[in-house]
Amino acid sequence: MKKTTMFGIPIAAAALALGAAAPASAARYDNAKSLRSDIAQLDRQIDRALVKRQITRREAVRLEAQVDGLQREFRSYARGGFERWEVRALDRGISNVRRQLTKDLNDGGNGRDDRPANYRDGSGRR
């Protein structure tokens, strides 16, 4: 004779139903190693570009602040495992910093992209 719950559903069937529902509701993703690696790689690339004078100090400070923000987000999200939207948010942030670093590298480290078009220094030069 099968054991049943008070609603007449066999216990084994109820356990299977609950087990099947849990992964869908939790929807956790464990990309921690890859995300952490990508963020650390960005940090190293920024440092290397600054040392090689491929980007300005101002550009490096801005990019490093963005990477620090990604690291804070990573730690916050990692506490309970990653939800799909958290992984996407981190991926998007990493892509944005990469894109900005590439842009800064392509401007030759002259920092011109940091200045408004009508910027003039104290000497009256642009």
Side-chain angles (χ1 to χ4, degrees):
M1 183 167 165
K2 293 182 181 178
K3 291 185 179 183
T4 60
T5 64
M6 55 194 240
F7 297 110
I9 301 171
I11 293 174
L16 285 174
L18 288 175
S25 63
R28 303 279 180 191
Y29 296 86
D30 190 23
N31 292 343
K33 200 175 245 185
S34 174
L35 291 168
R36 181 178 289 163
S37 172
D38 288 349
I39 294 168
Q41 181 184 22
L42 271 175
D43 198 30
R44 286 189 304 272
Q45 287 173 333
I46 293 165
D47 291 343
R48 198 172 321 122
L50 180 61
V51 167
K52 290 182 174 184
R53 296 179 183 232
Q54 295 171 321
I55 60 175
T56 65
R57 164 74 52 199
R58 184 177 181 179
E59 290 167 336
V61 166
R62 180 179 31 80
L63 291 167
E64 286 172 348
Q66 292 174 359
V67 169
D68 290 345
L70 288 171
Q71 290 170 334
R72 276 191 304 277
E73 280 183 50
F74 177 89
R75 284 191 301 271
S76 173
Y77 296 159
R79 286 188 190 117
F82 292 94
E83 300 285 343
R84 182 178 296 171
W85 70 268
E86 293 170 329
V87 171
R88 281 195 305 255
L90 286 168
D91 280 336
R92 199 169 29 255
I94 290 166
S95 293
N96 289 342
V97 175
R98 274 195 187 123
R99 195 172 15 263
Q100 188 61 49
L101 176 59
T102 300
K103 180 181 172 191
D104 291 345
L105 287 168
N106 289 334
D107 77 9
N110 62 17
R112 297 233 182 248
D113 288 346
D114 286 344
R115 300 179 197 160
N118 61 353
Y119 173 83
R120 292 184 183 267
D121 64 12
S123 67
R125 290 181 270 162
R126 287 184 186 242

